[in-house]
Amino acid sequence: MQLVIVESPAKAKTIEKYLGKDYKVLASYGHVRDLPPKDGSVRPDEDFAMDWELYGDKQRQVKAITDAAKEADRLILATDPDREGEAISWHVRELLAKRKALPKQVERVTFNAITKDTVTKAMTQPRELDQDLIDAYLARRALDYLFGFTLSPVLWRKLPGAKSAGRVQSVALRLIVEREREIELFRPQEYWSVIAQLEHLGTKFPARLVKFDGAKLDKLSLGDAGSAERAKAAVEAATFRVEEVDTRPTRRNPWPPFTTSTLQMEASRKLGFSASHTMRVAQTLYEAGAITYMRTDGVQMDPSAISAARVAISERYSNGHYLPEKPRHYETKAKNAQEAHEAIRPTDFGKDHYGSGDEARLYELIWKRAIASQMASAVIERTAVTLRDGTGKHELRATGQVIKFPGFLAVYDETLDQKPGEDEDDSAMLPVLAAGDTPAKRAVDATQHFTQPPPRYSEATLVKRLEELGIGRPSTYAATIQVLKDRAYVRTEKNRFFAEESGRLLTAFLERFFPRYVGYDFTAGMEEELDDVSGGREAWKVLLAKFWKDFKPKSDEVMERKPSEVTEALDEFLSDYLFPPKEDGSDPRKCPQCEAGRLSLRGGRFGAFIACSNYPECKFTRKFAQPGGSADGGESGELGKHPETGEPISRKVGRFGPYLEMGSGKEAKRANIPKDIGELTLDWAVKLIDLPRLLGNHPETGEPITASIGRYGPYLAHNGKYAKLRGTAEVFEVGMNAAVVRLAEAATGGGRGARAAAEPLKTFGPHPDSGGEMKLMAGRYGPYVTDGTTNATLPRDKQPEDLTAEEAITLISEKAAKGPAKKGARKKAAPKKAAAAKKPAAKKAPAKKKAPAKKDAAD
């Protein structure tokens, strides 16, 4: 018997059908071992010795692999064709050797697509495990571990509220924070454009003023309304003749097929997919045999695939002009590109559709991009027309383009990100114009504009920037971005990243105390060195030794600093942000409450904040994320008295942020302060403290309808049923009629009630067996994962944020295999005495588990 090991159960089922009865195919469900999440798992003083630990949820699967290996004559390691796949194969081999279950014949097989021809051909071309790739994996894993587990304890002790730092994660966060700084420093400039609406031979077209009073105009030349009106009047008074008509044919070549990063970018732009969702859907398509391997830097296609694409083009387009004479060949331009795999393409170019839903949408995108890459260039005719008045002092320009032959554009056109303030390509249709023509002037418009700040990063533009800098690897970008979200260092609004308070403070800390290790050049250079390891040009332990030699002393130095010293250094480092100059020239650090103390950064149990130096006499505080001391209700203390009860209402700061309190002890009323209310006034405080708000009785049931703010935001409640509201203001504005409609929609599925509003902590894509969407949920008795049919509780030693898709599949599959709990099962539980006898043993496990929290640090 020949035992084949792959990564996923879906792939195992497909491949077993291809190989026949002599083969048994088992899945490892991803990685089977990792470094234990505790200090000492990598020991630099012992030549970087590394300890490995079997994942707790992989015991059953590893046992199945071990039992099968004992009966096998040959072991074929067929995990994914990349560094991680090589590492999984190495782990499986090492585990089986340790358990004395390793067959005499062990071989490595890789394939780029899960089709019968590709898999069977790969089985005839086995090789040895690639030790250079394994060394590169070991170096990367040890490097990330040493970075995280050395730096994170420094953060926990010196920077309140910080959760973790990662080698690539922290640099990606820095990009987002720096963009936030650019936006804050940006000062808009006014400018005007003057556009004449012309007409010739019945065709209307716009022409822009590009020369005024003999001077060429750039974007900001007309900087105020007065100059714009003078220019407009000059254009209105003048008669313009066509002086030059410049027509130039140009060619646009197609883009290469997708790589991992370009797929993530285009799926974000065209389909609105997150990077992680794109990779989940692509993984499903790959395992179904529809596309080639989706983690790749390569832009080339196999010669047989190019031939198949050309055949498909010929069949679909009878006009032979769509098929170039020679096949197109592409070379990657990505910095540090290192994968030798094909680009992402369909396995069968004859199928332009596959699957349904998001799978179908992503497959179509991949098919179009790949087929277009082998099509003819587009031929475009661009025309620029120059018009001048009689004096020659004023000049208009009109531009347009015509697609003479679409070529590849008949199938695919890439979505490009437009820069702020950048004019779109003018593709207006121009009439046939010749020198001496005098188009009719229908109108002249002077339009005000303002320069725009640089846009916040989207997932697509962040991935693009990381790739440009050579930071990280395309296959890791989705996970890196997800960590930033999970740690709440960033938030997304309308698909754009905003730096959160904790993310900004962490970046400042790292830039101040570890500037080298969040430097773009250093991180990119480290990637190059890791590539040298994978190419056999550098020893992995030499790389680690160079890193550790400088990093360890630096972290020790910062650890020895007092927290107050760290806070003082950050106060100075962030001074321009926290205390920007005031327009009236007054001291920006002057306390607005006591007017005698000075404001400075402080560290508290729940994070950083701004406080007065006269504490405790003056209790003024301001959140870290409120630069400049704007009057936004940031001060602690009494806001005023309730108009009906006369009781004082105070603003306080607790573990979960600012809140309101009226009264004291058990009778005190409290309310959180929503972020969307703007300035906190006494009126707002009274409204919030008086919640829930009674709207009246439901016209059908007679039961009361209330509006309030809960754990999941503002909502309506009626007779045990709930409906979400859009914002805090709506809690106090929604009327009875609108409330009845909202509640009815929620009851019929048109809205989401508060009880149904629990969002999944994570989603993992469809389960390979049940097909149900797998979600990680926060349950009443702890986190659990579900596919909609089977709920599986997470092991006690598993942190929810570290759960992978493979682990979710295993948990659900194992729970489903056990079947539903039998009736009366609880009655058959162990007697109380027996249960009591087991209690001490149950308490031992948690005693060793201070370390798992540090697992975050390894990201």
Side-chain angles (χ1 to χ4, degrees):
M1 185 263 286
Q2 301 182 64
L3 176 62
V4 181
I5 303 299
V6 295
E7 292 185 20
S8 78
K11 193 192 302 184
K13 288 181 180 179
T14 304
I15 293 174
E16 198 164 58
K17 293 177 185 177
Y18 296 155
L19 297 180
K21 296 180 180 179
D22 189 41
Y23 291 85
K24 183 171 185 178
V25 186
L26 293 178
S28 69
Y29 288 87
H31 274 283
V32 293
R33 297 194 305 180
D34 196 11
L35 297 169
K38 62 181 180 181
D39 292 330
S41 294
V42 178
R43 299 184 293 282
D45 295 339
E46 299 177 25
D47 196 26
F48 297 98
M50 302 169 73
D51 293 332
W52 300 99
E53 178 181 76
L54 191 66
Y55 282 117
D57 60 345
K58 296 296 174 71
Q59 296 282 357
R60 181 180 176 186
Q61 198 60 29
V62 170
K63 184 179 184 303
I65 292 173
T66 304
D67 291 344
K70 290 178 180 178
E71 300 176 5
D73 304 315
R74 179 189 180 205
L75 174 65
I76 302 170
L77 299 166
T79 48
D80 288 344
D82 59 8
R83 185 194 301 110
E84 291 300 307
E86 205 75 17
I88 292 171
S89 287
W90 175 77
H91 277 299
V92 171
R93 186 188 68 178
E94 294 297 298
L95 262 177
L96 293 177
K98 187 176 181 181
R99 298 186 177 197
K100 298 181 180 180
L102 193 65
K104 291 182 180 179
Q105 190 176 0
V106 179
E107 294 173 332
R108 175 81 166 110
V109 164
T110 58
F111 36 81
N112 197 41
I114 305 175
T115 62
K116 187 171 184 178
D117 289 343
T118 307
V119 172
T120 52
K121 182 180 178 181
M123 290 296 169
T124 65
Q125 300 173 338
R127 61 169 172 81
E128 297 290 325
L129 281 171
D130 189 328
Q131 190 59 47
D132 290 335
L133 278 183
I134 295 167
D135 287 348
Y137 159 77
L138 293 173
R140 185 179 293 271
R141 189 68 193 89
L143 191 65
D144 290 342
Y145 172 92
L146 291 172
F147 190 99
F149 273 81
T150 304
L151 187 54
S152 291
V154 178
L155 295 176
W156 299 335
R157 297 179 190 179
K158 308 300 178 184
L159 193 68
K163 297 176 182 178
S164 70
R167 186 176 58 87
V168 177
Q169 160 201 331
S170 298
V171 180
L173 177 60
R174 180 187 172 190
L175 282 171
I176 296 171
V177 169
E178 284 191 340
R179 180 55 54 86
E180 201 78 32
R181 292 172 185 160
E182 291 174 27
I183 293 170
E184 290 166 356
L185 293 173
F186 179 82
R187 296 293 177 265
Q189 287 184 268
E190 179 185 8
Y191 68 97
W192 292 71
S193 63
V194 176
I195 307 292
Q197 303 296 333
L198 307 179
E199 184 177 343
H200 185 68
L201 300 177
T203 301
K204 295 180 181 179
F205 63 98
R208 179 184 296 271
L209 180 66
V210 294
K211 188 176 180 181
F212 175 53
D213 274 346
K216 288 187 176 181
L217 300 180
D218 60 27
K219 181 177 178 179
L220 301 177
S221 294
L222 302 177
D224 55 66
S227 59
E229 286 300 324
R230 288 194 299 273
K232 176 183 177 182
V235 173
E236 288 175 332
T239 300
F240 288 87
R241 296 170 50 118
V242 174
E243 294 290 333
E244 299 173 13
V245 178
D246 183 12
T247 300
R248 297 182 182 181
T250 60
R251 299 174 72 86
R252 277 180 62 185
N253 295 324
W255 293 271
F258 282 129
T259 62
T260 302
S261 58
T262 55
L263 177 63
Q264 291 175 359
M265 293 178 209
E266 277 292 85
S268 174
R269 296 175 184 134
K270 279 187 163 68
L271 307 179
F273 288 1
S274 67
S276 57
H277 185 64
T278 298
M279 295 309 290
R280 282 197 298 269
V281 176
Q283 177 84 32
T284 304
L285 290 172
Y286 166 64
E287 291 179 354
I291 63 171
T292 53
Y293 191 55
M294 67 288 163
R295 291 188 174 89
T296 175
D297 285 333
V299 292
Q300 68 279 4
M301 290 200 301
D302 185 83
S304 63
I306 293 176
S307 299
R310 289 174 63 84
V311 168
I313 294 167
S314 298
E315 292 175 348
R316 288 172 183 272
Y317 297 94
S318 56
N319 181 345
H321 296 301
Y322 284 91
L323 184 68
E325 291 184 8
K326 296 180 180 179
R328 295 185 181 276
H329 298 281
Y330 299 92
E331 293 182 3
T332 183
K333 296 179 181 179
K335 189 176 180 180
N336 292 342
Q338 50 113 27
E339 302 289 0
H341 309 136
E342 278 191 84
I344 304 169
R345 63 167 177 84
T347 56
D348 183 355
F349 279 98
K351 294 181 179 178
D352 58 0
H353 290 86
Y354 179 88
S356 60
D358 287 352
E359 289 179 22
R361 297 170 69 199
L362 190 65
Y363 178 84
E364 183 181 16
L365 193 68
I366 293 169
W367 184 89
K368 285 183 175 180
R369 176 83 167 219
I371 202 88
S373 72
Q374 289 300 318
M375 292 178 70
S377 301
V379 179
I380 300 170
E381 186 178 82
R382 286 197 170 93
T383 301
V385 180
T386 302
L387 304 96
R388 296 192 186 99
D389 73 332
T391 66
K393 291 183 177 181
H394 311 312
E395 188 175 295
L396 300 175
R397 180 165 296 152
T399 59
Q401 69 177 29
V402 177
I403 297 177
K404 292 293 187 179
F405 173 66
F408 75 94
L409 291 176
V411 174
Y412 183 86
D413 191 8
E414 184 174 76
T415 305
L416 299 176
D417 294 294
Q418 187 178 337
K419 297 178 181 178
E422 181 180 67
D423 294 320
E424 295 181 5
D425 287 340
D426 193 347
S427 57
M429 292 291 293
L430 295 178
V432 177
L433 292 163
D437 287 342
T438 308
K441 195 189 311 163
R442 299 304 182 198
V444 180
D445 301 313
T447 307
Q448 183 186 39
H449 310 274
F450 290 92
T451 55
Q452 297 297 310
R456 288 182 169 86
Y457 285 109
S458 64
E459 287 206 5
T461 54
L462 181 60
V463 166
K464 182 179 180 181
R465 185 61 180 143
L466 288 169
E467 188 175 42
E468 289 172 348
L469 293 170
I471 293 169
R473 278 284 166 263
S475 59
T476 66
Y477 291 153
T480 298
I481 291 170
Q482 192 60 47
V483 168
L484 295 179
K485 294 178 180 178
D486 292 344
R487 303 290 185 272
Y489 290 148
V490 300
R491 73 179 190 279
T492 54
E493 293 181 10
K494 297 181 179 178
N495 201 30
R496 297 283 172 174
F497 287 112
F498 288 73
E500 291 284 25
E501 171 184 337
S502 56
R504 187 151 195 164
L505 186 61
L506 172 61
T507 298
F509 176 85
L510 294 174
E511 286 182 312
R512 173 61 179 82
F513 294 103
F514 295 90
R516 180 187 181 196
Y517 302 101
V518 289
Y520 303 134
D521 291 342
F522 171 81
T523 311
M526 187 64 70
E527 291 296 339
E528 291 178 354
E529 288 194 70
L530 287 166
D531 290 344
D532 287 340
V533 173
S534 65
R537 297 180 294 275
E538 183 173 0
W540 68 282
K541 291 184 179 180
V542 171
L543 182 155
L544 291 176
K546 287 191 296 184
F547 167 79
W548 191 247
K549 179 183 177 181
D550 296 325
F551 183 68
K552 179 63 166 122
K554 181 63 178 176
S555 61
D556 289 343
E557 173 201 330
V558 178
M559 184 66 91
E560 290 173 3
R561 288 177 176 256
K562 296 179 180 178
S564 58
E565 294 176 351
V566 172
T567 304
E568 288 175 9
L570 290 177
D571 178 84
E572 180 181 352
F573 185 80
L574 291 166
S575 179
D576 291 341
Y577 166 65
L578 296 174
F579 310 105
K582 292 191 173 183
E583 292 182 4
D584 60 5
S586 61
D587 184 1
R589 286 183 178 261
K590 180 180 178 182
C591 177
Q593 187 164 309
C594 70
E595 298 187 347
R598 282 178 59 78
L599 303 180
S600 61
L601 184 69
R602 300 284 182 87
R605 182 180 176 188
F606 305 111
F609 62 98
I610 309 301
C612 178
S613 59
N614 284 340
Y615 180 86
E617 287 78 16
C618 178
K619 292 185 171 61
F620 175 86
T621 61
R622 189 178 80 218
K623 290 194 296 186
F624 169 83
Q626 293 170 352
S630 58
D632 56 1
E635 315 96 82
S636 291
E638 186 176 318
L639 295 170
K641 299 186 185 302
H642 193 286
E644 295 179 7
T645 67
E647 293 182 274
I649 301 176
S650 300
R651 178 193 184 277
K652 296 188 175 183
V653 178
R655 179 179 180 184
F656 302 107
Y659 67 96
L660 298 168
E661 182 177 273
M662 183 176 74
S664 58
K666 294 181 179 180
E667 303 300 322
K669 293 190 67 176
R670 297 180 179 85
N672 288 328
I673 303 175
K675 294 180 179 180
D676 61 347
I677 65 169
E679 181 179 354
L680 179 63
T681 62
L682 178 60
D683 287 342
W684 264 117
V686 171
K687 288 180 179 180
L688 293 168
I689 210 79
D690 283 346
L691 289 177
R693 169 187 168 226
L694 177 64
L695 278 69
N697 294 331
H698 194 286
E700 295 179 4
T701 67
E703 298 293 330
I705 299 177
T706 60
S708 191
I709 301 172
R711 180 180 179 184
Y712 301 107
Y715 67 94
L716 292 167
H718 163 254
N719 203 22
K721 305 296 182 182
Y722 302 87
K724 290 185 72 173
L725 294 174
R726 286 186 289 268
T728 301
E730 198 172 9
V731 173
F732 305 100
E733 296 169 357
V734 65
M736 175 62 76
N737 292 339
V740 171
V741 172
R742 290 284 185 86
L743 287 163
E745 289 176 347
T748 58
R752 295 187 65 181
R755 289 189 178 179
E759 296 288 343
L761 304 177
K762 271 187 182 182
T763 57
F764 300 100
H767 190 279
D769 296 327
S770 69
E773 182 76 10
M774 295 185 295
K775 299 177 182 179
L776 176 64
M777 307 296 293
R780 182 179 180 184
Y781 301 106
Y784 67 95
V785 65
T786 180
D787 63 351
T789 303
T790 303
N791 297 345
T793 304
L794 265 61
R796 292 177 63 186
D797 61 346
K798 189 67 184 177
Q799 297 295 320
E801 59 268 23
D802 297 325
L803 187 71
T804 64
E806 291 78 11
E807 291 168 343
I809 292 170
T810 303
L811 288 170
I812 292 171
S813 298
E814 290 180 351
K815 183 65 181 293
K818 294 178 181 177
K822 296 180 180 179
K823 291 184 178 180
R826 291 191 177 185
K827 295 181 180 179
K828 296 180 180 180
K832 290 184 179 180
K833 290 184 179 180
K838 291 182 180 180
K839 280 187 178 180
K843 289 182 178 179
K844 287 183 180 179
K848 295 181 180 180
K849 295 192 173 174
K850 291 182 180 179
K854 297 183 181 179
K855 190 165 186 178
D856 297 346
D859 293 321

